[in-house]
Amino acid sequence: MLNDHIEKILIGEDEIAAKVMELGKEVSADYADKDLVIVNVLRGGVIFVSDLIRKMSIPVTVDFMAISSYGPSTESSGVVRVIKDLEENIHDRHVLVVEDIIDTGLTLGYLLKNLSSREPASLSVCVLLDKSARRILDNLPIKYKGFDVPDAFVVGYGLDYRQKYRNLPYIGILKKSIYDFDLKDQLT
Ligand code: PRP
């Protein structure tokens, strides 16, 4: 079972739900009467954004981008390629990027540069998890933040390990034996 692969639950379902509710209210108040486009980054952010928009009380447009980073899959290189671009024109509109996690910040840095070249009316970030211990790029315009997380292997609520565990309803720390086992597997 999936739960058996988890060392410890870091943030439970109820705690996530309360935070998402709070963030939804805040975003709604700040963007009332504004033309808001939420830009979500596939794939990890889909769970968070789908919950977040349902806690928002203002009209909102949602669009998606998919990017892929070059280099080893476990490390962010900051050199990314757009796999799927936005369908919306964001010129002169208020853009809120919704991400599941910021780690080194390199992915977000690239994304913000890319989006700002399209001249939106404003560009801000809402992130559920902030793993600031690994930050390389600072001064990111993070307007809304859910939780700070330690430098541990977190999965669930959208976050994956080798494309699995995204469907866990909570955020947990993956057991070391799982990825150690996979590492051995790759060497043989
Ligand atoms: C995760 C996350 C961010 C990025 C953060 O995506 O959704 O986009 O990593 O890392 P960084 O701050 O070090 O750049 P990932 O590449 O794992 O893809 P996924 O969303 O499909 O899981």
Side-chain angles (χ1 to χ4, degrees), residues 53-185:
I53 58 173
R54 282 177 293 168
K55 297 297 172 208
M56 289 174 51
S57 54
I58 56 168
V60 58
T61 302
V62 185
D63 203 351
F64 298 90
M65 269 181 98
I67 53 182
S68 141
S69 71
Y70 289 108
S73 57
T74 49
E75 289 294 324
S76 178
S77 63
V79 184
V80 302
R81 186 161 50 110
V82 175
I83 303 288
K84 183 214 170 292
D85 205 352
L86 295 177
E87 285 168 46
E88 294 291 319
N89 181 350
I90 57 167
H91 183 73
D92 272 346
R93 301 172 79 186
H94 295 273
V95 173
L96 182 64
V97 175
V98 174
E99 262 280 32
D100 53 345
I101 188 164
I102 301 177
D103 201 327
T104 62
L106 294 173
T107 307
L108 189 61
Y110 169 83
L111 200 68
L112 291 173
K113 214 167 133 189
N114 179 303
L115 295 174
S116 66
S117 71
R118 307 178 199 198
E119 302 181 324
S122 69
L123 182 57
S124 300
V125 177
C126 173
V127 64
L128 183 66
L129 306 176
D130 185 1
K131 199 190 263 187
S132 58
R134 285 174 42 90
R135 191 64 37 84
I136 291 173
L137 199 62
D138 269 323
N139 301 321
L140 296 165
I142 303 175
K143 193 169 179 186
Y144 310 94
K145 177 164 89 174
F147 305 94
D148 288 298
V149 286
D151 189 8
F153 212 131
V154 287
V155 292
Y157 199 72
L159 284 93
D160 74 308
Y161 167 62
R162 291 178 131 196
Q163 298 306 332
K164 300 289 191 308
Y165 306 101
R166 295 193 198 272
N167 58 317
L168 282 172
Y170 54 80
I171 290 156
I173 297 179
L174 191 65
K175 274 187 182 161
K176 197 171 179 296
S177 56
I178 302 289
Y179 49 90
D180 273 356
F181 179 78
D182 284 348
L183 276 177
K184 279 188 211 120
D185 203 30

